[in-house]
Amino acid sequence: MAAPEPAPRRGREREREDESEDESDILEESPCGRWQKRREQVNQGNMPGVQSTFLAMDTEEGVEVVWNELHFGDRKAFATHEEKIQTMFEQLALVDHPNIVKLHKHWLDASEARARVIFITEYVSSGSLKQFLKKTKKNHKAMNARAWKRWCTQILSALSFLHACNPPIIHGNLTSDTIFIQHNGLIKIGSVWHRIFSNALPDDLRSPIHVEREEPRNLHFFPPEYGEVADGTAVDIFSFGMCALEMAVLEIQANGDTRVTEEAITRARHSLSDPNMREFILSCLARDPSRRPSAHNLLFHRVLFEVHSLKLLAAHCFLQHQYLMPENVVEEKTKAVDLNAVLAELPRPPRPPLQWRYSEVSYLELDKFLEDVRNGIYPLMNFAAARPLGLPRVLAPPPEETQKAKTPTPEPFDSETRKVIQMQCNLERSEDKARWHLTLLLVLEDRLHRQLTYDLLPTDSAQDLAAELVHYGFVHEDDRTKLAAFLESTFLKYLGAQP
């Protein structure tokens, strides 16, 4: 089908209030001008290998992000491997999970003065897990068991996603410094890029890459087999077990400012009062990697597993199909509810039944719960998770490749990172009755309304149109299938069997 003209990105346009920030606060801009590097440096858990990390502003979304810089001393070697570096970061951008820090964009900067990779990642407002645990202990608070379970579930959900890729993605640097926490309790794993990138780099470019294992205070997060040729996903399970132990006790006392000793770890384990929690952590810390359970199996451990409530299942179902419903469907439904009507009833013969009425349900709490589920705080764990798409073969250390003839490729468009929550489509005949005019209204998860118009050709199909909208950055890749199905149903409605 004919490609729509990519130049006018009207769907992205929106009015913004004038920013009051001082222009002198801007140190640098991205080549497209969308991201602005600020003077303020941020500590996002001392990301391994990143020499400098700055707060930045996404001027299109109006949110704060992190500007990461990876510097290389050998500019000639950097120039030789630019294509490989570019490919690796393009593939890393495919890693998309609510409990993994998202890599938004990257670009390479090679000049006479410097050689560096700059990549933009999410900004996690409350800092690293280690910082959070230290603050909690300083305030003389104990770890809440329910929060511990929720955090472990989110970390394992992310690890299960990474390990399910083909080939598996091994984090390799999982510590309480590379796990971040949002103010609402959402956990995100950072530094996923590190091991993939360092393994793919030739020896002459690995100098700026270091691991948290080089920090004596973090040695206890790494298992005995770490760094061996045959190490695998069990490396991350050991590191997770140590993080789970640290979350439970708030801090494992180090020997001064150096490393954490085996005696300190043993004392921390023995301080756990819950036998199920102790057994759970010990299984992760097994010296033999073959005896450590997988991330997926750990989600079913009795200390974490619970039967999902109907409320949580309904919330996930609602969010997965929200694009089929009006934007304000919750508000409209709640307005029509009789507050005195019985929502649920529990029979208790011979006593009167126990009843819950709609008046006892807080709609504000419902909105917050839906938002938390959307953000990934309550993942479903006792269902087979969908396997990651688009990740096979590319994230493994590549074998020696034969030189391929280079062909010029067009400049790629920015990929859409926001999901569609609502779709509306309308078809109208043109004045000459020769063709159909399509109007597509999309509501994105940040409530941005995007209206697209297109003149259908006789050869156009719903699948082709959905693919082109993804290609030109109007729609998230994950929405391709449901958009194609939605367009197909619209075509059948208006055009009959022949689109």
Side-chain angles (χ1 to χ4, degrees), residues 100 152 155-156 158-164 168-176 178-179 189-192 194-196 220-227 231-244 281 283-286 289 292-295 298:
I100 296 176
C152 285
I155 297 170
L156 287 172
L159 289 179
S160 180
F161 173 89
L162 294 173
H163 294 173
I169 299 176
I170 301 169
H171 187 287
N173 273 291
L174 191 67
T175 73
S176 54
T178 57
I179 298 174
I189 293 178
S191 192
V192 172
H194 175 269
R195 177 163 172 141
I196 301 165
H220 62 291
F221 286 100
F222 298 87
E225 78 275 12
Y226 183 86
D231 74 1
T233 56
V235 165
D236 290 341
I237 301 303
F238 185 95
S239 300
F240 163 75
M242 203 61 74
C243 290
I281 291 173
S283 69
C284 298
L285 300 180
R292 297 174 206 148
S294 67
L298 283 170

Side-chain angles (χ1 to χ4, degrees), residues 319-439:
L319 293 172
Q320 287 170 6
H321 299 88
Q322 193 173 355
Y323 67 94
L324 295 173
M325 307 174 193
E327 181 179 351
N328 58 343
V329 62
V330 176
E331 181 183 352
E332 293 300 320
K333 288 290 184 184
T334 53
K335 284 180 180 178
V337 168
D338 178 5
L339 296 181
N340 292 319
V342 175
L343 171 66
E345 183 175 276
L346 179 64
R348 300 184 303 170
R351 294 179 295 169
L354 185 61
Q355 295 181 335
W356 287 271
R357 300 185 182 277
Y358 281 97
S359 58
E360 299 177 62
V361 179
S362 170
Y363 302 131
L364 292 177
E365 288 182 7
L366 178 60
D367 279 337
K368 183 183 183 304
F369 180 71
L370 285 172
E371 188 65 25
D372 287 344
V373 173
R374 181 186 288 110
N375 288 337
I377 296 178
Y378 300 105
L380 293 180
M381 54 184 172
N382 51 348
F383 290 89
R387 289 296 182 256
L389 301 176
L391 296 175
R393 80 187 169 278
V394 293
L395 293 175
E400 289 297 323
E401 297 181 358
T402 57
Q403 283 293 102
K404 299 178 181 178
K406 294 183 179 179
T407 56
T409 56
E411 188 69 20
F413 296 91
D414 287 346
S415 298
E416 179 56 76
T417 59
R418 295 160 293 188
K419 302 288 185 65
V420 174
I421 62 173
Q422 186 183 348
M423 304 178 191
Q424 293 180 17
C425 186
N426 186 50
L427 282 176
E428 295 179 350
R429 274 199 180 277
S430 59
E431 292 182 2
D432 58 5
K433 306 294 183 182
R435 61 188 183 280
W436 287 87
H437 185 70
L438 180 146
T439 302

Side-chain angles (χ1 to χ4, degrees), residues 128-145:
S128 71
L129 184 61
K130 182 178 284 294
Q131 294 168 335
F132 186 86
L133 294 175
K134 281 187 175 180
K135 290 177 185 176
T136 304
K137 185 173 183 181
K138 187 176 180 181
N139 294 331
H140 307 288
K141 295 181 180 178
M143 173 52 61
N144 179 279

Side-chain angles (χ1 to χ4, degrees), residues 476-497:
H476 194 291
E477 170 65 37
D478 290 352
D479 290 327
R480 182 205 298 251
T481 302
K482 67 181 181 183
L483 176 58
F486 180 72
L487 290 172
E488 186 70 35
S489 64
T490 303
F491 289 174
L492 290 173
K493 175 182 175 182
Y494 284 90
L495 309 178

Side-chain angles (χ1 to χ4, degrees), residues 111-233:
S111 62
E112 293 183 4
R114 59 192 174 188
R116 58 181 180 160
V117 177
I118 300 167
F119 55 103
I120 305 296
T121 56
E122 284 182 88
Y123 176 53
V124 189
S125 57
S126 297
S128 71
L129 184 61
K130 182 178 284 294
Q131 294 168 335
F132 186 86
L133 294 175
K134 281 187 175 180
K135 290 177 185 176
T136 304
K137 185 173 183 181
K138 187 176 180 181
N139 294 331
H140 307 288
K141 295 181 180 178
M143 173 52 61
N144 179 279
R146 189 157 188 82
W148 180 86
K149 291 179 181 181
R150 193 161 61 239
W151 292 354
C152 285
T153 300
Q154 293 180 64
I155 297 170
L156 287 172
S157 178
L159 289 179
S160 180
F161 173 89
L162 294 173
H163 294 173
C165 293
N166 183 21
I169 299 176
I170 301 169
H171 187 287
N173 273 291
L174 191 67
T175 73
S176 54
D177 276 328
T178 57
I179 298 174
F180 308 108
I181 184 168
Q182 289 277 36
H183 64 279
N184 59 359
L186 178 64
I187 291 287
K188 285 184 176 284
I189 293 178
S191 192
V192 172
W193 66 276
H194 175 269
R195 177 163 172 141
I196 301 165
F197 192 49
S198 58
N199 283 350
L201 283 179
D203 291 336
D204 56 348
L205 270 180
R206 287 186 184 176
S207 56
I209 307 293
H210 72 274
V211 296
E212 287 292 287
R213 194 168 185 263
E214 295 174 5
E215 298 288 339
R217 64 190 177 89
N218 283 326
L219 278 174
H220 62 291
F221 286 100
F222 298 87
E225 78 275 12
Y226 183 86
E228 296 178 2
V229 175
D231 74 1
T233 56

